[in-house]
């Protein structure tokens, strides 16, 4: 199961953003890689489902 981190960022133009960091395991090597995304606060749950 992938680990998840969410950090809330400052508002820009009236909209709040969050940085989502997911640890994803490689099926070939078994090593973890980190994927980072900056998404609007209302899209955090959608970003974590992928």
């Amino acid at each position: 199961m992938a680990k998840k981190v969410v950090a809330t960022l400052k508002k820009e133009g009236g909209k709040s953003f969050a940085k989502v960091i997911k640890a994803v395991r490689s099926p070939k090597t078994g090593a973890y890689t980190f994927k980072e995304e900056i998404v609007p606060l209302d899209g955090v749950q959608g970003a974590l489902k992928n």
Side-chain angles (χ1 to χ4, degrees), residues 15-41:
K15 199 167 194 181
S16 295
F17 291 90
K19 184 175 187 178
V20 178
I21 304 169
K22 294 191 281 186
V24 181
R25 192 168 194 168
S26 170
K28 279 188 174 181
T29 63
Y32 283 97
T33 59
F34 296 94
K35 295 191 178 193
E36 298 182 18
E37 293 180 70
I38 296 179
V39 297
L41 268 182

